[in-house]
Amino acid sequence: MSSTPDVVSRDTSSIISPPLPDPLPAFDRPLKLGILASGNGSNMEAIAQAIRSGQLQAQIQVVIYNNPQAYVARRAQRWDIPSVLLNHRNFASREALDEQIIQTLQAYEVDWVIMAGWMRRVTEVLIGAFPQRVLNIHPSLLPSFPGIRAAEQALKAGAKVAGCTVHYVELEVDSGPIVMQAAVPVLPGDTADTLQARIQQQEHRIYPAAIALAAVPPP
Ligand code: GAR
């Protein structure tokens, strides 16, 4: 007769993220990044810090934001990074906004489009202008829990492991080939906020590394 243990171990410390490549890949010249952000901008700042510390060989050419109140604009100012407000309410269509985003990115000579908390759907106009060069970060282990409030979704669904994903952007929201993921445990007593905070620590860790890995030409 087989026996099943009565008590399941609560030790989740073995659920860890894989180590990152150290050092990260180097390039002939720094990657020229354009950041798209809608809100707080902590991922933008984590990328800026990774650049300043020499971990990521890149420069942030411009931050584009769509909400006049977005805190990311203040962060950009502190880091001396140009920022451009493109308020989506002033555009007749998603495509018209994307056209203006492209013009702005080109004016700042951007090679890689980095969506860091960009809460707008993008169209084939933007994706087509930067093929294989648009990245997004999402606070779940995709394909689980796309869309908004991903940490809350994970909690409600009873997930035991949550995390974050950096992926190439395709038309469908929060979909596309995965560049990097990091997992975190869902702990007893977690709220959406505590879980999101744990996930964000990993976001800040993996986004700079994922940008470097994505930029390595395929063999
Ligand atoms: C991040 O958690 C990011 O994964 C999420 O928005 C947050 C932005 O934080 N993005 C999405 O949910 C995209 N579907 P930040 O403004 O502090 O970088």
Side-chain angles (χ1 to χ4, degrees):
M1 197 175 100
S2 73
S3 71
T4 345
D6 296 338
V7 178
V8 177
S9 168
R10 284 181 182 274
D11 179 9
T12 50
S13 58
S14 60
I15 304 169
I16 56 165
S17 301
L20 300 177
D22 181 18
L24 293 178
F27 306 99
D28 295 344
R29 61 179 179 86
L31 307 172
K32 294 181 175 181
L33 313 180
I35 307 266
L36 303 189
S38 298
N40 182 20
S42 70
N43 278 287
M44 184 285 285
E45 193 150 355
I47 294 165
Q49 262 155 3
I51 293 170
R52 181 175 284 177
S53 72
Q55 186 202 5
L56 175 63
Q57 194 190 351
Q59 53 204 38
I60 301 177
Q61 305 286 101
V62 64
V63 171
I64 296 175
Y65 62 107
N66 65 306
N67 283 320
Q69 313 304 330
Y71 189 67
V72 71
R74 299 263 296 278
R75 293 189 198 258
Q77 197 177 26
R78 283 209 297 265
W79 281 84
D80 235 357
I81 297 168
S83 63
V84 176
L85 169 64
L86 296 180
N87 188 334
H88 59 277
R89 296 166 192 90
N90 297 338
F91 292 85
S93 64
R94 292 186 192 281
E95 286 78 7
L97 172 62
D98 280 4
E99 293 284 4
Q100 191 58 49
I101 291 173
I102 293 167
Q103 275 192 28
T104 308
L105 293 171
Q106 287 173 345
Y108 282 91
E109 301 184 334
V110 164
D111 295 326
W112 284 86
V113 184
I114 307 299
M115 291 167 47
W118 179 251
M119 304 310 269
R120 305 289 306 166
R121 276 169 189 265
V122 294
T123 70
E124 63 282 352
V125 173
L126 180 63
I127 297 171
F130 291 88
Q132 293 292 302
R133 281 170 179 249
V134 186
L135 298 178
N136 181 44
I137 191 158
H138 181 74
S140 80
L141 294 173
L142 291 173
S144 286
F145 314 124
I148 58 169
R149 292 193 280 275
E152 189 180 319
Q153 290 187 56
L155 268 186
K156 281 195 174 144
K160 304 300 179 200
V161 176
C164 51
T165 304
V166 177
H167 63 94
Y168 293 97
V169 170
E170 292 186 343
L171 262 191
E172 197 182 325
V173 170
D174 300 325
S175 76
I178 291 172
V179 179
M180 198 177 281
Q181 291 188 309
V184 301
V186 178
L187 297 177
D190 257 342
T191 63
D193 285 348
T194 59
L195 181 55
Q196 171 69 15
R198 194 173 307 119
I199 292 169
Q200 275 232 307
Q201 286 181 347
Q202 293 303 317
E203 291 191 330
H204 300 162
R205 194 174 147 260
I206 70 167
Y207 213 174
I211 291 167
L213 285 194
V216 173

